[in-house]
């Protein structure tokens, strides 16, 4: 079975600062995806970024980037030039590449961007 | 393209009753999965359907059931409701790549309150 751990229940930074959210996971599988999802107060889960485990290059999406350390089973999210709209719950999630579509989520990090 | 639609958005039920939640996936998506989100347990996988077949089920009692119709719309049913079933129920759909995982697109959820 897979587990995902987010050790930071809450974080708070000033607008325009850079913030890094941590995530570790445990699996014996070799082919999988890792995701960061954002859940604002509207409750809509929005995909922020995705990383395929077989890719060595870290994924980036505009101001969002990841540091994927496969051997250490670590998958952190860096948000650069943070904006007020980044305020949300952030969930790290694990999904196998093959088979049923099932995500295993971490407990989430509540991120607040202060003006 | 319309997103994942969940109905109703809010629901209040009494202990012992049963409830049916509905999810309409993005057009063309054949996989629909369901998650329960609570403050204590976080996001937990309930089950996933693909082409009307349940492919995977989470660790929930038999009171939780689901089905998928030929148009890929899905319903989940909870019988004999308990106070602990109060939660946000999220539905997600995924594009049609039969064996390989792709990203999940989430609906806005149904907030179920059991009194």
């Amino acid at each position: 079975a897979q587990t995902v751990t987010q050790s930071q229940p809450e974080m708070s930074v000033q607008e325009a600062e850079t913030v890094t959210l941590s995530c570790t996971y445990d699996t014996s599988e070799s082919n999988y995806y890792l995701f960061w999802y954002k859940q604002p107060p509207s409750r809509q889960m929005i995909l922020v970024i995705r990383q395929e485990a077989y890719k060595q290059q870290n994924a980036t999406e505009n101001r969002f980037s990841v540091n994927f350390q496969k051997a250490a089973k670590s998958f952190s999210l860096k948000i650069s030039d943070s904006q007020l709209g980044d305020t949300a719950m952030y969930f790290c999630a694990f999904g196998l590449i093959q088979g049923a579509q099932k995500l295993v989520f971490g407990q989430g990090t509540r991120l607040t961007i202060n003006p | 393209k319309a997103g994942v639609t969940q109905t109703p958005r809010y629901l209040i039920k009494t202990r012992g009753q049963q409830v049916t939640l509905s999810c309409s996936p993005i057009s063309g998506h054949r996989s629909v999965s369901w998650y329960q989100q609570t403050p204590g347990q976080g996001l937990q996988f309930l089950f996933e359907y693909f082409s009307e077949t349940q492919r995977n089920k989470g660790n929930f009692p038999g009171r939780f059931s689901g089905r998928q119709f030929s148009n890929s719309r899905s319903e989940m049913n909870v019988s004999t409701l308990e106070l602990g079933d109060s939660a946000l129920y999220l539905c997600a759909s995924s594009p049609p790549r039969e064996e390989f995982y792709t990203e999940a697109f989430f609906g806005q959820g149904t907030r179920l309150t059991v009194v």
Side-chain angles (χ1 to χ4, degrees), chain B residues 13-35:
Chain B
K13 289 287 189 179
T14 305
R15 267 184 306 175
Q17 286 187 314
Q18 77 165 18
V19 66
T20 299
L21 311 182
S22 180
C23 173
S24 293
I26 292 171
S27 178
H29 289 194
R30 292 162 62 189
S31 168
V32 174
S33 49
W34 289 88
Y35 295 84

Side-chain angles (χ1 to χ4, degrees), chain A residues 37-47 91, chain B residues 2-11 21-26 32-37 43 87-93 104-112:
Chain A
Y37 277 91
K38 165 185 175 181
Q39 187 178 40
S42 67
R43 306 178 329 205
Q44 180 90 49
M45 293 283 280
I46 301 164
L47 179 67
F91 292 95
Chain B
V4 178
T5 303
Q6 291 188 246
T7 56
R9 293 287 308 279
Y10 302 91
L11 207 48
L21 311 182
S22 180
C23 173
S24 293
I26 292 171
V32 174
S33 49
W34 289 88
Y35 295 84
Q36 182 196 63
Q37 185 176 19
L43 280 149
L88 179 66
Y89 289 89
L90 291 167
C91 167
S93 73
F105 295 82
F106 284 83
Q108 287 192 286
T110 294
R111 171 75 67 187
L112 172 65

Side-chain angles (χ1 to χ4, degrees), chain A residues 2 10 23 30 37-38 41 49 55 57 66 68-69 72 87 89 104 108 110 114:
Chain A
Q2 292 78 33
E10 293 191 33
C23 172
S30 55
Y37 277 91
K38 165 185 175 181
I49 199 163
K55 290 186 177 178
Q57 187 173 5
V66 299
F68 173 48
Q69 301 290 325
T87 293
M89 282 290 290
V104 177
R110 183 176 303 279
N114 299 305

Side-chain angles (χ1 to χ4, degrees), chain A residues 33 35 37 39 42-47 50 89 91-92 94-107, chain B residues 9-10 31 33 35 37 40-43 45 48 55-56 88 90 94 99-104 106-109 111:
Chain A
Y33 289 102
F35 305 86
Y37 277 91
Q39 187 178 40
S42 67
R43 306 178 329 205
Q44 180 90 49
M45 293 283 280
I46 301 164
L47 179 67
R50 178 177 83 177
M89 282 290 290
F91 292 95
C92 179
F94 173 102
L96 290 174
I97 284 184
Q98 287 185 283
Q101 310 274 32
K102 170 187 174 180
L103 290 172
V104 177
F105 287 90
Q107 287 295 102
Chain B
R9 293 287 308 279
Y10 302 91
S31 168
S33 49
Y35 295 84
Q37 185 176 19
Q41 299 297 317
L43 280 149
F45 172 79
E48 186 243 0
R55 290 203 294 189
N56 203 349
L88 179 66
L90 291 167
S94 299
E99 289 300 320
F100 297 95
Y101 194 98
T102 54
E103 70 177 87
F106 284 83
Q108 287 192 286
R111 171 75 67 187

